[in-house]
Every structure is written in C-alpha cells, then in structure tokens.
C-alpha cells in the first residue's frame, strides 16, 4: 500500500496531468469537453489499473505510461459513445479501432473520427495510440501476449458498439452477440458476459508481466484464462453497481438492473468472487492477484455513490464478509484516502 500511494499513484497523476494539458488544447469544443470530462471523472480507473505496474518490477514507470494512455483512450471513447452526438455503430467501431491499433505497434494510425461530424482533436487520440505503441515496442517478446491482448480488446470493442446504439437495438444486439459465445460460457447470462467483456484488467496484467521480464506463452494463456471472464466480470459488475443511480438519471444501460432482485444480484456477485478466487490461485504471485480481487470489492464499495443506493448497507456488509478481512482493509483505507487525497504528494 505504501508503494501504491507513494509511487504508483503520484506517477499516474503525473501522466494524467500531461494528457489533461494536451486535452485542454483540443480545437473542437465537443471533443475537448469529452476528453477533459473523461480524465476528471475517471481518474480512479487509471489509479486502479496502474496497480498492476508492481508486476513490471524495475519497468514499473513504463507499465504505468502504457496503462494510463490505454485507459485514457478507453475512458475518452466511452464518453464519446455515451455522452456525445452519435448513435452510429459504424462510428463506434471506427473509434475503437484505436484500441486495437494501440496494441499493435506495427499498425499505422487511422482516421478514427471518419464517421462523425466532430473530427479535429489536434492529434489527441492519435498521440494516445502512439504512446501505447511506443511503449510496447520496448517490451521483449510482445508477440507472446499479443493474441490475448487483441482478443480482450476485440470483445471490449464489440461490447461498446452494441451497448451504445439506439436504445431499442441494444439488448437484442447484446443477446445475439452472447449467443455466439454462450456454448463456452453457459454459466453466465447475456448481461454478465457483457460485463466481463468491458474490463481492461486482463490487458494491464499481461502487459505488466511482459515488462517484468517473466513472460512465457504458458503464463500469458494462464493470465488470460484467469482474468476472463470472472475477474473482469467482478470488476465491471461492481462498477455498474455503484453507477446505478447515475445511469438511471442519464438513461444509460446498466447491467445490474437485469438481475431478478437484489438477493439474486448478491448471489451472483458472490459467485463471481468465488470463481475469481479459484482461477487466480493458479497464477504465480497468486497473493497479489487475490489482493486485486479483495481490493476491487473494498475500493468500489467504499465509493461515495454507494450511499445513494437502496439496500446498499446489507450488500456492502455481506460482500465484504465473503471477501475477507483484507477487503475490509481496502474499504476503510479507500474511504480514508479519499478524505486526505488532496494532501498526498
């Protein structure tokens, strides 16, 4: 925790500060607004993702450079799809080509705004992509993890396209998409599979192991199988859980609303916690990955937005109990961190 607060988070804020300065210079007003809002509102995504930089050993700063740039692309595009002017699936697909290009160092940059009216971002998105590419070029044997990072990015892009089209089309598209994967993931519902696809944690874990110099094909496959679907699903279901009231106000799709009732949701959250525990135990540094699992539960449930959710007190109590004492430690620690955050240097 000392390393996270004293090294990791300050480096994250340094990287984000540079991207904020770049975003402030975006010529187009709408693109500038969405870029700045995504950094302002979603800093904790970069903070959480960058914890994986611990696995990068002495290359932890390079891992953070990649993680912050890649997560900033993700958050920016989410705002463009969620809060902006388009409902065009072709537009969403083209925007998310940037995330695939960011993971493919040899790819040339594209016109990612080809299907939308707002285009002039002053090179902001291309710079984010290029930063990721430049970072991955420094990793020996990136080709070992590339099939897995690209697969995770591909299903992430599919999700973003399907869930941001016109409201009437969203659920049918997501259900049809799940139908293509249902045979393999029969223990999941369509909305749970969608949630599992919406996380970047598997990519950050793979990249950090790559920078840490401990990479081989067997480890890359183990990380992929351990993080998708359950760790990633736990991550995004918790994210949706705390955003329920906000999404209701904004009219956004929230996967937690498709559970039959609160007890059903709690039962499934416990299932994801149990499955994540079982799967990450197969990885090296299993205690680190278990820390991530407990940290996700503790940190998300400590968010102030939870206080607005009906019945949250019982949900928080029961999930912390099943997650163990370290989850409670993260819960208390996160609440304290939010209080003293402005004073942390």
């Amino acid at each position: 925790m000392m390393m996270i607060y004293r090294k990791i988070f300050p480096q994250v804020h340094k990287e984000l500060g540079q991207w904020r300065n770049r975003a402030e210079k975006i010529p187009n007003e709408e693109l500038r607004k969405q870029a700045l809002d995504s950094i302002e509102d979603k800093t904790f995504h970069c903070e959480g993702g960058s914890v994986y930089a611990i696995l990068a050993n002495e290359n932890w700063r390079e891992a953070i450079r990649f993680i912050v740039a890649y997560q900033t692309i993700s958050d920016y595009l989410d705002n463009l799809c969620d809060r902006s002017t388009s409902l065009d699936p072709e537009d969403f697909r083209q925007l998310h080509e940037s995330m695939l290009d960011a993971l493919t160092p040899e790819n040339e940059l594209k016109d990612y705004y080809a299907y939308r009216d707002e285009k002039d971002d002053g090179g902001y998105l291309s710079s984010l992509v290029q930063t990721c590419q430049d970072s991955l070029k420094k990793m020996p044997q990136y080709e070992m993890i590339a099939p897995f990072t690209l697969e995770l990015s591909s299903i992430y892009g599919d999700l973003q396209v399907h869930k941001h089209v016109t409201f009437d089309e969203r659920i049918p598209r997501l259900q049809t998409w799940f139908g293509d994967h249902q045979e393999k993931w029969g223990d999941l519902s369509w909305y749970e599979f969608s949630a599992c696809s919406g996380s970047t944690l598997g990519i950050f874990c793979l990249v950090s192991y790559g920078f840490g110099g401990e990479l081989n094909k067997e480890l890359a496959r183990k990380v992929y199988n351990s993080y998708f679907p359950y760790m990633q699903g736990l991550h995004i279901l918790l994210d949706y859980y705390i955003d329920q009231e906000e999404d209701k106000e904004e009219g956004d799709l929230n996967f937690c609303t498709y559970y039959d009732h609160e007890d059903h949701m709690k039962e499934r959250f416990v299932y994801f916690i149990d499955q994540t525990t079982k799967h990450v135990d197969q990885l090296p540094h299993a205690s680190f990955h278990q820390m991530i699992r407990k940290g996700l539960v503790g940190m998300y449930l400590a968010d102030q937005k939870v206080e607005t959710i009906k019945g949250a007190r019982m949900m928080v109590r029961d999930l912390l109990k099943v997650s163990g004492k370290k989850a409670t430690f993260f819960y208390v620690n996160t609440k304290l961190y939010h209080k003293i955050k402005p004073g942390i240097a």
Side-chain angles (χ1 to χ4, degrees):
M1 294 306 297
M2 187 64 73
M3 181 178 181
I4 289 169
Y5 288 147
R6 292 296 182 185
K7 287 188 173 182
I8 302 293
F9 285 180
Q11 187 68 22
V12 169
H13 298 156
K14 181 180 177 182
E15 293 286 338
L16 272 178
Q18 295 171 358
W19 291 116
R20 186 183 292 106
N21 291 340
R22 187 70 190 264
E24 286 171 350
K25 297 170 184 166
I26 293 175
N28 182 272
E29 184 180 353
E30 174 65 14
L31 298 180
R32 183 171 66 252
K33 178 185 184 318
Q34 299 305 337
L36 288 170
D37 285 354
S38 70
I39 292 173
E40 183 68 27
D41 297 340
K42 300 176 181 179
T43 293
F44 74 99
H45 288 172
C46 290
E47 289 175 340
S50 290
V51 170
Y52 284 96
I54 292 172
L55 297 172
N57 298 321
E58 68 271 13
N59 292 318
W60 63 273
R61 286 185 181 85
E62 192 62 49
I64 288 176
R65 182 170 175 251
F66 170 86
I67 289 167
V68 169
Y70 194 81
Q71 187 61 48
T72 300
I73 297 173
S74 172
D75 292 336
Y76 173 52
L77 298 190
D78 194 48
N79 270 32
L80 287 184
C81 297
D82 236 350
R83 303 275 179 259
S84 199
T85 57
S86 173
L87 291 168
D88 180 4
E90 206 168 17
D91 172 38
F92 301 153
R93 182 68 68 189
Q94 183 70 7
L95 285 171
H96 283 86
E97 282 292 309
S98 64
M99 297 187 77
L100 292 169
D101 288 344
L103 294 169
T104 317
E106 65 273 16
N107 277 14
E108 293 186 4
L109 301 174
K110 299 181 179 67
D111 177 8
Y112 303 115
Y113 301 103
Y115 298 102
R116 65 169 41 222
D117 294 334
E118 303 88 6
K119 297 179 184 295
D120 189 3
D121 73 351
Y124 177 71
L125 181 53
S126 292
S127 293
L128 286 163
V129 172
Q130 206 153 29
T131 296
C132 293
Q133 290 180 333
D134 291 345
S135 189
L136 293 179
K137 285 175 185 176
K138 299 175 185 177
M139 184 191 298
Q141 298 178 303
Y142 171 64
E143 68 274 6
M144 284 188 185
I145 63 170
F148 303 107
T149 57
L150 290 170
E151 171 65 18
L152 290 170
S153 184
S154 178
I155 60 172
Y156 178 92
D158 289 343
L159 169 68
Q160 297 304 315
V161 171
H162 296 320
K163 86 184 203 48
H164 285 115
V165 294
T166 56
F167 195 82
D168 290 345
E169 292 182 25
R170 291 175 188 177
I171 295 173
R173 287 181 70 125
L174 288 167
Q175 290 174 331
T176 300
W177 176 53
F178 175 55
D180 298 333
H181 302 273
Q182 190 169 5
E183 186 175 346
K184 187 173 183 181
W185 304 113
D187 62 328
L188 304 178
S189 62
W190 68 266
Y191 48 90
E192 288 172 337
F193 177 81
S194 297
C196 298
S197 305
S199 174
T200 47
L201 294 189
I203 291 172
F204 296 157
C205 187
L206 285 161
V207 167
S208 295
Y209 266 126
F211 279 124
E214 299 180 31
L215 192 64
N216 56 57
K217 287 182 179 178
E218 183 185 358
L219 176 57
R221 181 169 294 281
K222 274 187 175 181
V223 170
Y224 175 84
N225 290 334
S226 296
Y227 270 73
F228 186 85
Y230 301 110
M231 177 77 94
Q232 293 203 166
L234 177 63
H235 170 212
I236 299 302
L237 287 170
L238 286 165
D239 195 48
Y240 275 103
Y241 178 73
I242 70 170
D243 282 344
Q244 286 178 87
E245 293 303 315
E246 182 182 313
D247 288 345
K248 192 185 297 183
E249 290 175 12
E250 298 287 348
D252 295 335
L253 197 66
N254 188 302
F255 296 128
C256 285
T257 63
Y258 294 95
Y259 287 110
D260 295 336
H261 43 72
E262 191 172 337
D263 285 342
H264 179 216
M265 178 166 58
K266 187 189 300 181
E267 174 189 311
R268 294 301 292 170
F269 275 39
V270 170
Y271 177 77
F272 273 86
I273 290 168
D274 290 344
Q275 289 297 315
T276 300
T277 302
K278 174 183 171 184
H279 282 78
V280 301
D281 254 347
Q282 302 167 18
L283 293 175
H285 315 106
S287 62
F288 172 84
H289 300 286
Q290 296 294 3
M291 180 197 75
I292 296 290
R293 173 186 64 79
K294 294 169 184 178
L296 284 173
V297 174
M299 292 169 77
Y300 270 101
L301 295 181
D303 194 284
Q304 291 179 338
K305 289 185 278 189
V306 174
E307 296 171 10
T308 68
I309 302 170
K310 185 179 178 182
R313 185 172 296 181
M314 296 287 285
M315 184 77 154
V316 169
R317 186 199 67 185
D318 292 346
L319 292 185
L320 288 177
K321 184 177 180 181
V322 78
S323 299
K325 290 180 180 178
K326 284 185 182 177
T328 302
F329 167 80
F330 281 108
Y331 176 80
V332 174
N333 222 269
T334 302
K335 282 190 169 293
L336 178 63
Y337 175 67
H338 287 313
K339 287 182 180 178
I340 66 172
K341 184 176 178 180
I344 294 178

